[in-house]
């Protein structure tokens, strides 16, 4: 089967996988028609904080990952958070939209979730070193779907004030 | 059980971080080899002297260099390498000043040493800028010491005073070898699954030895703590080393511990118990005896200036509190901060890098996994999920 031909997972399949994977099984969520919200605790290392994350997914769209607690903006003490679409509450930029790093046939619990944990790991390190050691790329306008572009611009403006 | 697992992993990782921190502070193997080559050369130079007195001198390391507890001094690059230049058979009862000056004359007659030779109160210093300095203290046998001790100059260079660097080293190393009693966790299941987690996590390291690491961490904490206060009141290294080694022997023989970190904290907690305090004369007197020779009280200066004793107690309480607090910290950033204030920010940052780099390396080679409760690790564990390749998006300067 070629990549382009794989069939997208449904929102309820993604939901069931999140419920079953040990990484996220302790969480809870609300399935809706073609969409869901899943909230769970995650920690990037035994010496790290325990964070509460929220994944919002609507079938056909890309998953959004928010850090609900603790407030990352407060932890950053005035610095702008790296690799986020939105500063507060932080919405994480976990992969390059223009590549095939994430596609709708991929399980969120096997991709987005470990990437979010990895993000948190580099985030804690960034808090002390001020240097993002997780690598990554700067966004291009063309990477962002219309909805995102608008939202990002909005938050950039909000952050600049 | 999850809580146990996380605690066990936390303690294991903290030990790893403290271990890396100490590795960054001590004389490393290649520096030690270089220092040894240099002091062996000094020994050969002394052996080539015409004077019989100097010809029989033996050079050997003493103090932290001898027992593996060196700590880089703050504010300069050079480590101290303390050496004894021991005259096995002094012809007559030579005075400390005469022996010291005879050794100095011989050293000065070497064109290499002359420009970097510096006279100190009781010893000669050969200063290898940017590396270390060799502090060479003269000694003669102490016929009155049944433990094979020696005599070294007192501070005024007017009289000989007992010491026993070799005996001290032997006793310290014997104590360091005592195997502590470790408790298998209350919940064996937690312990087993934690073990399987500990093993693959970024090159998990244990302490090289709990006793030497306790000494190094305590000495470094002292250096940082007294930097802003009056450094002349700081407890001298031999006091910290002696109290830690006696406390370690006691704790390792009598108590059972859940983790190396618990043991480390307990050794520090017990340190003050191994000094004698006497106030029968109406004023306090402190005694921290050199167990390897007669009549050497390491706390002698405290009795002349009780502020030193007080400074010890205040510092010791802070050291213990700082170590104990490490077990409660959540956040790599907070850990770095706390370690930085206790042991200096540069070594703390380097120690934390040693947690981050293996994760990045495992990520590059596709070996990184994520598990509940303990987070990222570098091996495939039950209930873990592989972390696939990704590219963090978004500007870090937007």
């Amino acid at each position: 089967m070629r990549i382009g031909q794989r069939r997208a997972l449904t929102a309820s399949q993604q939901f069931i996988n999140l419920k079953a994977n040990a990484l996220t099984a302790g969480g809870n969520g609300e399935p809706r028609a073609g969409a869901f919200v899943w909230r769970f605790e995650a920690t990037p290392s035994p010496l790290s904080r325990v964070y509460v994350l929220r994944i919002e997914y609507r079938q056909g769209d890309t998953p959004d990952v928010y850090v609900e607690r603790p407030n990352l903006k407060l932890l950053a003490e005035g610095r702008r958070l790296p690799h986020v679409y939105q500063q507060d509450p932080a919405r994480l930029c976990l992969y390059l939209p223009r590549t095939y790093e994430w596609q709708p046939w991929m399980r969120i619990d096997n991709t987005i979730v470990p990437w979010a944990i990895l993000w948190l790991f580099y985030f804690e390190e960034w808090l002390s070193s001020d240097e993002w050691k997780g690598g990554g790329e700067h966004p291009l306008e063309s990477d962002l779907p219309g909805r995102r572009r608008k939202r990002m611009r909005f938050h950039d403006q909000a952050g600049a004030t | 059980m999850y809580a146990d697992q996380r605690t066990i992993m936390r303690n294991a990782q903290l030990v790893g971080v403290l271990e890396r921190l100490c590795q960054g502070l001590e004389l490393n193997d290649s520096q030690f080899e270089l220092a040894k080559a240099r002091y062996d050369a000094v020994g050969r130079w002394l052996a080539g002297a015409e004077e019989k007195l100097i010809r029989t001198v033996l050079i050997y390391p003493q103090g932290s260099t001898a027992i593996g507890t060196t700590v880089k001094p703050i504010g300069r690059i050079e480590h101290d390498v303390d050496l004894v230049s021991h005259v096995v058979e002094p012809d007559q009862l030579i005075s400390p000043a005469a022996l010291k000056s005879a050794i100095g004359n011989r050293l000065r007659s070497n064109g290499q040493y002359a420009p970097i030779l510096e006279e100190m109160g009781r010893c000669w210093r050969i200063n290898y800028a940017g590396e270390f300095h060799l502090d060479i203290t003269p000694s003669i046998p102490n016929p009155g010491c049944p433990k094979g001790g020696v005599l070294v100059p007192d501070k005024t260079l007017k009289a000989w005073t007992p010491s026993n660097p070799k005996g001290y080293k032997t006793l310290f190393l014997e104590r360091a070898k005592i195997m502590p009693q470790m408790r298998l966790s209350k919940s064996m299941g937690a312990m087993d699954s934690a073990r399987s987690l500990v093993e693959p996590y970024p090159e998990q390291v244990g302490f090289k030895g709990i006793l030497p690491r306790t000494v190094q961490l305590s000495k470094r904490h002292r250096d940082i703590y007294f930097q802003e206060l009056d450094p002349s009141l700081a407890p001298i290294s031999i006091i910290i080393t002696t109290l830690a080694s006696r406390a370690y022997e006691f704790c390792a023989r009598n108590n059972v511990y859940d983790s190396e970190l618990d043991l480390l904290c307990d050794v520090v907690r017990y340190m003050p118990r191994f000094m004698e305090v006497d106030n029968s004369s109406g004023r306090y007197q402190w005694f921290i005896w050199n167990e390897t020779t007669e009549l050497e009280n390491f706390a002698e200066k405290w009795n002349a200036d009780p502020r030193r004793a007080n400074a010890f107690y205040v510092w010791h309480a802070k050291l213990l509190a700082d170590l104990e607090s490490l077990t409660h910290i959540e956040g790599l950033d907070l850990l770095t901060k706390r370690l930085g204030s206790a042991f200096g920010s540069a070594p703390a940052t380097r120690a934390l890098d040693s947690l981050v780099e293996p994760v990045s390396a495992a990520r590059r080679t596709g070996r990184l996994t994520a598990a509940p409760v303990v987070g990222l690790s570098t091996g495939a564990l039950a209930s873990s999920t592989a972390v696939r390749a990704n590219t963090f998006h978004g500007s870090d300067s937007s």
Side-chain angles (χ1 to χ4, degrees), chain B residues 90-137:
Chain B
D91 282 345
Q92 62 278 358
L93 196 54
I94 189 168
S95 82
L99 179 56
K100 187 189 162 203
S101 93
I103 289 172
N105 289 341
R106 175 64 184 165
L107 291 173
R108 206 177 289 110
S109 70
N110 180 311
Q112 259 187 318
Y113 300 144
I116 53 173
L117 188 68
E118 198 182 334
E119 179 160 14
M120 311 296 286
R122 303 195 308 167
C123 68
W124 291 98
R125 170 171 293 180
I126 301 178
N127 202 340
Y128 289 97
E131 294 169 357
F132 41 74
H133 33 68
L134 307 179
D135 282 354
I136 304 168
T137 304

Side-chain angles (χ1 to χ4, degrees), chain B residues 90-333:
Chain B
D91 282 345
Q92 62 278 358
L93 196 54
I94 189 168
S95 82
L99 179 56
K100 187 189 162 203
S101 93
I103 289 172
N105 289 341
R106 175 64 184 165
L107 291 173
R108 206 177 289 110
S109 70
N110 180 311
Q112 259 187 318
Y113 300 144
I116 53 173
L117 188 68
E118 198 182 334
E119 179 160 14
M120 311 296 286
R122 303 195 308 167
C123 68
W124 291 98
R125 170 171 293 180
I126 301 178
N127 202 340
Y128 289 97
E131 294 169 357
F132 41 74
H133 33 68
L134 307 179
D135 282 354
I136 304 168
T137 304
S139 83
I140 58 171
N142 178 2
C145 176
K147 294 166 182 163
V150 299
L151 295 168
V152 296
D154 72 355
K155 229 174 34 191
T156 62
L157 216 61
K158 290 203 174 93
W160 292 104
T161 182
S163 181
N164 190 356
K166 279 194 169 163
Y168 191 92
K169 172 184 171 178
T170 304
L171 180 61
F172 183 89
L173 295 182
E174 270 169 17
R175 283 180 171 150
K177 268 192 288 191
I178 301 168
M179 288 295 289
Q181 304 171 65
M182 306 305 285
R183 180 181 298 122
L184 293 178
S185 176
K186 293 147 248 169
S187 146
M188 283 297 287
M191 190 66 189
D192 280 349
S193 54
R195 272 220 195 91
S196 65
L197 284 170
V198 169
E199 199 234 330
Y201 191 82
E203 297 149 40
Q204 203 70 48
V205 284
F207 279 129
K208 164 180 98 168
I210 294 169
L211 174 54
R213 290 316 190 201
T214 306
V215 171
Q216 287 173 307
L217 290 168
S218 303
K219 283 165 62 175
R220 178 66 181 188
H221 187 278
R222 169 208 57 189
D223 292 346
I224 297 286
Y225 179 81
F226 284 95
Q227 201 182 7
E228 305 286 308
L229 305 170
D230 182 354
S232 74
L233 295 179
I236 55 177
S237 294
I238 192 82
I239 285 183
I240 292 174
T241 309
T242 303
L243 294 178
S245 75
R246 297 186 69 166
Y248 176 80
E249 177 174 33
F250 178 86
C251 292
R253 288 203 196 284
N254 293 290
N255 300 336
V256 186
Y257 295 94
D258 285 330
S259 74
E260 291 185 313
L261 194 67
D262 292 340
L263 170 55
L264 168 68
C265 288
D266 216 29
V267 171
V268 170
R269 195 173 294 123
Y270 272 90
M271 276 167 60
R273 296 209 187 179
F274 295 94
M275 48 202 201
E276 291 169 32
V277 188
D278 173 31
N279 68 346
S280 57
S281 64
R283 67 187 195 95
Y284 279 96
Q285 297 257 293
W286 288 271
F287 303 95
I288 300 168
W289 296 111
N290 182 349
E291 301 156 273
T292 59
T293 191
E294 310 281 307
L295 294 171
E296 188 178 13
N297 175 14
F298 296 131
E300 202 183 329
K301 286 181 184 167
W302 294 11
N303 298 328
D305 183 358
R307 287 182 308 156
R308 288 173 185 269
N310 189 51
F312 171 85
Y313 287 108
V314 176
W315 161 74
H316 174 264
K318 180 78 167 74
L319 168 65
L320 184 57
D322 282 350
L323 288 172
E324 286 174 334
S325 77
L326 292 179
T327 56
H328 307 299
I329 290 177
E330 297 217 319
L332 296 175
D333 50 311

Side-chain angles (χ1 to χ4, degrees), chain A residues 1 4 6 12 17 44 60 65-66 71 103 112 114 120 136 139 142 156:
Chain A
M1 185 183 277
R6 294 186 88 157
S12 58
N17 287 331
V65 183
Y66 296 90
N71 184 311
Q103 296 186 84
I112 301 293
L120 291 168
S142 58
D156 272 357

Side-chain angles (χ1 to χ4, degrees), chain A residues 47-49 80 83 101 122 134, chain B residues 6 331 360 363 391 393 398:
Chain A
L47 297 171
S48 296
R49 295 175 188 81
R80 286 188 65 78
H83 296 287
E101 280 181 348
Y122 288 116
Chain B
R6 191 163 154 95
S360 296
R363 183 181 174 212
T391 313
H393 182 49
S398 64

Side-chain angles (χ1 to χ4, degrees), chain B residues 344-394:
Chain B
S345 59
T349 303
R350 279 198 306 270
L352 260 292
D353 284 347
S354 70
L355 275 185
V356 176
E357 278 156 15
V359 166
S360 296
R363 183 181 174 212
R364 281 192 296 275
T365 53
R367 288 180 300 113
L368 195 63
T369 61
V373 182
V374 295
L376 301 169
S377 53
T378 58
L381 317 164
S383 79
S384 74
T385 298
V387 182
R388 297 176 191 208
N390 73 320
T391 313
F392 289 114
H393 182 49

